[in-house]
Amino acid sequence: MNLSERLNEDMKQAMKSKDKFKLSTIRMVDNEVLDILSREIKQRKDALHEFEKAGRDELATSTKAEIEIIAQYLPEQLSEEEIKVIVQQTIQETGASSKAEMGKVMTALMPKVKGRADGKLVNQAVQQFLQ
């Protein structure tokens, strides 16, 4: 049993036994893993951009492969349409009406899409709807 499977099983067991403390701790660990994987993907995407700009094809190829491998451990990514729907709902929930309130929208929105959407895409969608 790998770590992910063990966390999943322990989480199910904590739910069944109504052990709220254990459940919240496991969820916290799970969220931290998502944060780490998301950060690693972002770093590699930034590096990939620089490698492509510098014409370093061999490094770009290996970095793309690393991104693909890490992405397998993230939840399924949201489509652009799904992101737009969530952005619109969050804008309505926050009552934001201008770009000046973008920070308020992003603060409410990012936990909803955590690990499931690229922050740049989310940012662009918010800017599109807040004009």
Side-chain angles (χ1 to χ4, degrees), residues 26-45:
I26 293 171
R27 284 186 174 151
M28 176 191 59
V29 169
D30 204 28
N31 283 333
E32 288 179 15
V33 170
L34 279 179
D35 289 344
I36 292 168
L37 292 175
S38 296
R39 185 172 47 246
E40 291 298 319
I41 292 253
K42 183 181 182 324
Q43 288 174 352
R44 281 167 177 77
K45 284 183 178 180

PDB file of all heavy atoms in Angstrom, residues 26-45:
ATOM      1  N   ILE A  26      -5.399  14.248   8.859  1.00  0.00           N
ATOM      2  CA  ILE A  26      -5.117  13.592   7.573  1.00  0.00           C
ATOM      3  C   ILE A  26      -5.447  14.523   6.416  1.00  0.00           C
ATOM      4  O   ILE A  26      -4.698  14.608   5.441  1.00  0.00           O
ATOM      5  CB  ILE A  26      -5.880  12.256   7.465  1.00  0.00           C
ATOM      6  CG1 ILE A  26      -5.324  11.256   8.487  1.00  0.00           C
ATOM      7  CG2 ILE A  26      -5.784  11.687   6.051  1.00  0.00           C
ATOM      8  CD1 ILE A  26      -6.137   9.988   8.621  1.00  0.00           C
ATOM      9  N   ARG A  27      -6.552  15.233   6.514  1.00  0.00           N
ATOM     10  CA  ARG A  27      -6.916  16.184   5.450  1.00  0.00           C
ATOM     11  C   ARG A  27      -5.873  17.290   5.335  1.00  0.00           C
ATOM     12  O   ARG A  27      -5.553  17.732   4.234  1.00  0.00           O
ATOM     13  CB  ARG A  27      -8.297  16.768   5.718  1.00  0.00           C
ATOM     14  CG  ARG A  27      -9.393  15.793   5.380  1.00  0.00           C
ATOM     15  CD  ARG A  27     -10.756  16.420   5.510  1.00  0.00           C
ATOM     16  NE  ARG A  27     -11.776  15.491   5.036  1.00  0.00           N
ATOM     17  CZ  ARG A  27     -13.017  15.462   5.470  1.00  0.00           C
ATOM     18  NH1 ARG A  27     -13.419  16.326   6.380  1.00  0.00           N
ATOM     19  NH2 ARG A  27     -13.867  14.594   4.994  1.00  0.00           N
ATOM     20  N   MET A  28      -5.338  17.750   6.470  1.00  0.00           N
ATOM     21  CA  MET A  28      -4.309  18.777   6.462  1.00  0.00           C
ATOM     22  C   MET A  28      -3.070  18.268   5.719  1.00  0.00           C
ATOM     23  O   MET A  28      -2.513  18.963   4.871  1.00  0.00           O
ATOM     24  CB  MET A  28      -3.929  19.170   7.890  1.00  0.00           C
ATOM     25  CG  MET A  28      -2.796  20.175   7.968  1.00  0.00           C
ATOM     26  SD  MET A  28      -2.174  20.389   9.634  1.00  0.00           S
ATOM     27  CE  MET A  28      -1.659  18.737  10.058  1.00  0.00           C
ATOM     28  N   VAL A  29      -2.662  17.045   6.017  1.00  0.00           N
ATOM     29  CA  VAL A  29      -1.500  16.446   5.350  1.00  0.00           C
ATOM     30  C   VAL A  29      -1.766  16.339   3.850  1.00  0.00           C
ATOM     31  O   VAL A  29      -0.913  16.676   3.027  1.00  0.00           O
ATOM     32  CB  VAL A  29      -1.167  15.058   5.954  1.00  0.00           C
ATOM     33  CG1 VAL A  29      -0.150  14.319   5.100  1.00  0.00           C
ATOM     34  CG2 VAL A  29      -0.666  15.206   7.370  1.00  0.00           C
ATOM     35  N   ASP A  30      -2.966  15.906   3.496  1.00  0.00           N
ATOM     36  CA  ASP A  30      -3.344  15.759   2.089  1.00  0.00           C
ATOM     37  C   ASP A  30      -3.262  17.109   1.375  1.00  0.00           C
ATOM     38  O   ASP A  30      -2.751  17.205   0.251  1.00  0.00           O
ATOM     39  CB  ASP A  30      -4.750  15.179   2.022  1.00  0.00           C
ATOM     40  CG  ASP A  30      -5.018  14.461   0.728  1.00  0.00           C
ATOM     41  OD1 ASP A  30      -4.075  13.940   0.120  1.00  0.00           O
ATOM     42  OD2 ASP A  30      -6.184  14.427   0.305  1.00  0.00           O
ATOM     43  N   ASN A  31      -3.738  18.167   2.038  1.00  0.00           N
ATOM     44  CA  ASN A  31      -3.680  19.508   1.447  1.00  0.00           C
ATOM     45  C   ASN A  31      -2.251  19.980   1.289  1.00  0.00           C
ATOM     46  O   ASN A  31      -1.912  20.642   0.305  1.00  0.00           O
ATOM     47  CB  ASN A  31      -4.476  20.503   2.298  1.00  0.00           C
ATOM     48  CG  ASN A  31      -5.961  20.367   2.089  1.00  0.00           C
ATOM     49  OD1 ASN A  31      -6.417  19.932   1.035  1.00  0.00           O
ATOM     50  ND2 ASN A  31      -6.724  20.732   3.098  1.00  0.00           N
ATOM     51  N   GLU A  32      -1.382  19.655   2.249  1.00  0.00           N
ATOM     52  CA  GLU A  32       0.015  20.053   2.143  1.00  0.00           C
ATOM     53  C   GLU A  32       0.706  19.347   0.980  1.00  0.00           C
ATOM     54  O   GLU A  32       1.520  19.947   0.285  1.00  0.00           O
ATOM     55  CB  GLU A  32       0.737  19.786   3.461  1.00  0.00           C
ATOM     56  CG  GLU A  32       0.334  20.752   4.556  1.00  0.00           C
ATOM     57  CD  GLU A  32       1.007  20.490   5.888  1.00  0.00           C
ATOM     58  OE1 GLU A  32       2.012  19.747   5.931  1.00  0.00           O
ATOM     59  OE2 GLU A  32       0.519  21.039   6.884  1.00  0.00           O
ATOM     60  N   VAL A  33       0.347  18.101   0.751  1.00  0.00           N
ATOM     61  CA  VAL A  33       0.901  17.365  -0.391  1.00  0.00           C
ATOM     62  C   VAL A  33       0.468  18.037  -1.690  1.00  0.00           C
ATOM     63  O   VAL A  33       1.280  18.221  -2.605  1.00  0.00           O
ATOM     64  CB  VAL A  33       0.477  15.879  -0.351  1.00  0.00           C
ATOM     65  CG1 VAL A  33       0.834  15.175  -1.645  1.00  0.00           C
ATOM     66  CG2 VAL A  33       1.117  15.175   0.834  1.00  0.00           C
ATOM     67  N   LEU A  34      -0.798  18.433  -1.773  1.00  0.00           N
ATOM     68  CA  LEU A  34      -1.286  19.139  -2.960  1.00  0.00           C
ATOM     69  C   LEU A  34      -0.522  20.443  -3.179  1.00  0.00           C
ATOM     70  O   LEU A  34      -0.169  20.780  -4.309  1.00  0.00           O
ATOM     71  CB  LEU A  34      -2.779  19.446  -2.834  1.00  0.00           C
ATOM     72  CG  LEU A  34      -3.743  18.332  -3.166  1.00  0.00           C
ATOM     73  CD1 LEU A  34      -5.177  18.798  -2.952  1.00  0.00           C
ATOM     74  CD2 LEU A  34      -3.562  17.838  -4.578  1.00  0.00           C
ATOM     75  N   ASP A  35      -0.279  21.175  -2.094  1.00  0.00           N
ATOM     76  CA  ASP A  35       0.477  22.427  -2.198  1.00  0.00           C
ATOM     77  C   ASP A  35       1.871  22.180  -2.759  1.00  0.00           C
ATOM     78  O   ASP A  35       2.337  22.904  -3.630  1.00  0.00           O
ATOM     79  CB  ASP A  35       0.600  23.108  -0.831  1.00  0.00           C
ATOM     80  CG  ASP A  35      -0.706  23.693  -0.336  1.00  0.00           C
ATOM     81  OD1 ASP A  35      -1.641  23.862  -1.145  1.00  0.00           O
ATOM     82  OD2 ASP A  35      -0.788  23.971   0.878  1.00  0.00           O
ATOM     83  N   ILE A  36       2.529  21.155  -2.250  1.00  0.00           N
ATOM     84  CA  ILE A  36       3.886  20.835  -2.704  1.00  0.00           C
ATOM     85  C   ILE A  36       3.887  20.450  -4.181  1.00  0.00           C
ATOM     86  O   ILE A  36       4.702  20.952  -4.966  1.00  0.00           O
ATOM     87  CB  ILE A  36       4.499  19.711  -1.849  1.00  0.00           C
ATOM     88  CG1 ILE A  36       4.756  20.217  -0.424  1.00  0.00           C
ATOM     89  CG2 ILE A  36       5.788  19.179  -2.476  1.00  0.00           C
ATOM     90  CD1 ILE A  36       5.077  19.124   0.573  1.00  0.00           C
ATOM     91  N   LEU A  37       2.966  19.569  -4.572  1.00  0.00           N
ATOM     92  CA  LEU A  37       2.913  19.140  -5.972  1.00  0.00           C
ATOM     93  C   LEU A  37       2.591  20.316  -6.894  1.00  0.00           C
ATOM     94  O   LEU A  37       3.191  20.458  -7.968  1.00  0.00           O
ATOM     95  CB  LEU A  37       1.885  18.025  -6.145  1.00  0.00           C
ATOM     96  CG  LEU A  37       2.240  16.696  -5.487  1.00  0.00           C
ATOM     97  CD1 LEU A  37       1.088  15.702  -5.631  1.00  0.00           C
ATOM     98  CD2 LEU A  37       3.515  16.116  -6.065  1.00  0.00           C
ATOM     99  N   SER A  38       1.663  21.166  -6.483  1.00  0.00           N
ATOM    100  CA  SER A  38       1.310  22.339  -7.294  1.00  0.00           C
ATOM    101  C   SER A  38       2.507  23.269  -7.447  1.00  0.00           C
ATOM    102  O   SER A  38       2.764  23.791  -8.536  1.00  0.00           O
ATOM    103  CB  SER A  38       0.149  23.100  -6.657  1.00  0.00           C
ATOM    104  OG  SER A  38      -1.005  22.319  -6.645  1.00  0.00           O
ATOM    105  N   ARG A  39       3.233  23.465  -6.365  1.00  0.00           N
ATOM    106  CA  ARG A  39       4.415  24.328  -6.402  1.00  0.00           C
ATOM    107  C   ARG A  39       5.490  23.738  -7.322  1.00  0.00           C
ATOM    108  O   ARG A  39       6.123  24.454  -8.106  1.00  0.00           O
ATOM    109  CB  ARG A  39       4.954  24.524  -4.982  1.00  0.00           C
ATOM    110  CG  ARG A  39       6.097  25.499  -4.895  1.00  0.00           C
ATOM    111  CD  ARG A  39       6.521  25.843  -3.474  1.00  0.00           C
ATOM    112  NE  ARG A  39       6.680  24.680  -2.600  1.00  0.00           N
ATOM    113  CZ  ARG A  39       5.915  24.422  -1.546  1.00  0.00           C
ATOM    114  NH1 ARG A  39       4.929  25.216  -1.220  1.00  0.00           N
ATOM    115  NH2 ARG A  39       6.131  23.355  -0.805  1.00  0.00           N
ATOM    116  N   GLU A  40       5.686  22.429  -7.263  1.00  0.00           N
ATOM    117  CA  GLU A  40       6.677  21.773  -8.125  1.00  0.00           C
ATOM    118  C   GLU A  40       6.299  21.904  -9.603  1.00  0.00           C
ATOM    119  O   GLU A  40       7.157  22.144 -10.454  1.00  0.00           O
ATOM    120  CB  GLU A  40       6.829  20.305  -7.739  1.00  0.00           C
ATOM    121  CG  GLU A  40       7.498  20.090  -6.393  1.00  0.00           C
ATOM    122  CD  GLU A  40       8.914  20.625  -6.332  1.00  0.00           C
ATOM    123  OE1 GLU A  40       9.674  20.463  -7.308  1.00  0.00           O
ATOM    124  OE2 GLU A  40       9.263  21.228  -5.299  1.00  0.00           O
ATOM    125  N   ILE A  41       5.020  21.754  -9.902  1.00  0.00           N
ATOM    126  CA  ILE A  41       4.560  21.916 -11.297  1.00  0.00           C
ATOM    127  C   ILE A  41       4.804  23.345 -11.760  1.00  0.00           C
ATOM    128  O   ILE A  41       5.294  23.574 -12.866  1.00  0.00           O
ATOM    129  CB  ILE A  41       3.055  21.563 -11.428  1.00  0.00           C
ATOM    130  CG1 ILE A  41       2.842  20.088 -11.210  1.00  0.00           C
ATOM    131  CG2 ILE A  41       2.481  22.046 -12.740  1.00  0.00           C
ATOM    132  CD1 ILE A  41       2.510  19.257 -12.408  1.00  0.00           C
ATOM    133  N   LYS A  42       4.462  24.315 -10.934  1.00  0.00           N
ATOM    134  CA  LYS A  42       4.650  25.721 -11.298  1.00  0.00           C
ATOM    135  C   LYS A  42       6.126  26.020 -11.562  1.00  0.00           C
ATOM    136  O   LYS A  42       6.465  26.670 -12.551  1.00  0.00           O
ATOM    137  CB  LYS A  42       4.115  26.637 -10.200  1.00  0.00           C
ATOM    138  CG  LYS A  42       4.216  28.121 -10.568  1.00  0.00           C
ATOM    139  CD  LYS A  42       3.711  28.997  -9.462  1.00  0.00           C
ATOM    140  CE  LYS A  42       3.744  30.466  -9.778  1.00  0.00           C
ATOM    141  NZ  LYS A  42       4.813  30.971 -10.559  1.00  0.00           N
ATOM    142  N   GLN A  43       7.007  25.536 -10.694  1.00  0.00           N
ATOM    143  CA  GLN A  43       8.439  25.765 -10.888  1.00  0.00           C
ATOM    144  C   GLN A  43       8.913  25.169 -12.206  1.00  0.00           C
ATOM    145  O   GLN A  43       9.694  25.780 -12.934  1.00  0.00           O
ATOM    146  CB  GLN A  43       9.237  25.158  -9.734  1.00  0.00           C
ATOM    147  CG  GLN A  43       9.112  25.903  -8.438  1.00  0.00           C
ATOM    148  CD  GLN A  43       9.809  25.197  -7.282  1.00  0.00           C
ATOM    149  OE1 GLN A  43      10.262  24.067  -7.403  1.00  0.00           O
ATOM    150  NE2 GLN A  43       9.873  25.868  -6.140  1.00  0.00           N
ATOM    151  N   ARG A  44       8.446  23.988 -12.501  1.00  0.00           N
ATOM    152  CA  ARG A  44       8.871  23.331 -13.740  1.00  0.00           C
ATOM    153  C   ARG A  44       8.291  24.029 -14.979  1.00  0.00           C
ATOM    154  O   ARG A  44       8.950  24.114 -16.003  1.00  0.00           O
ATOM    155  CB  ARG A  44       8.501  21.856 -13.708  1.00  0.00           C
ATOM    156  CG  ARG A  44       9.513  21.082 -12.869  1.00  0.00           C
ATOM    157  CD  ARG A  44       9.066  19.689 -12.524  1.00  0.00           C
ATOM    158  NE  ARG A  44      10.099  18.979 -11.785  1.00  0.00           N
ATOM    159  CZ  ARG A  44      10.356  19.169 -10.497  1.00  0.00           C
ATOM    160  NH1 ARG A  44       9.668  20.049  -9.805  1.00  0.00           N
ATOM    161  NH2 ARG A  44      11.305  18.473  -9.896  1.00  0.00           N
ATOM    162  N   LYS A  45       7.074  24.543 -14.879  1.00  0.00           N
ATOM    163  CA  LYS A  45       6.501  25.284 -16.008  1.00  0.00           C
ATOM    164  C   LYS A  45       7.290  26.559 -16.254  1.00  0.00           C
ATOM    165  O   LYS A  45       7.537  26.922 -17.414  1.00  0.00           O
ATOM    166  CB  LYS A  45       5.028  25.595 -15.755  1.00  0.00           C
ATOM    167  CG  LYS A  45       4.131  24.399 -15.954  1.00  0.00           C
ATOM    168  CD  LYS A  45       2.673  24.764 -15.756  1.00  0.00           C
ATOM    169  CE  LYS A  45       1.779  23.565 -16.008  1.00  0.00           C
ATOM    170  NZ  LYS A  45       0.355  23.883 -15.836  1.00  0.00           N
TER     171      LYS A  45
END
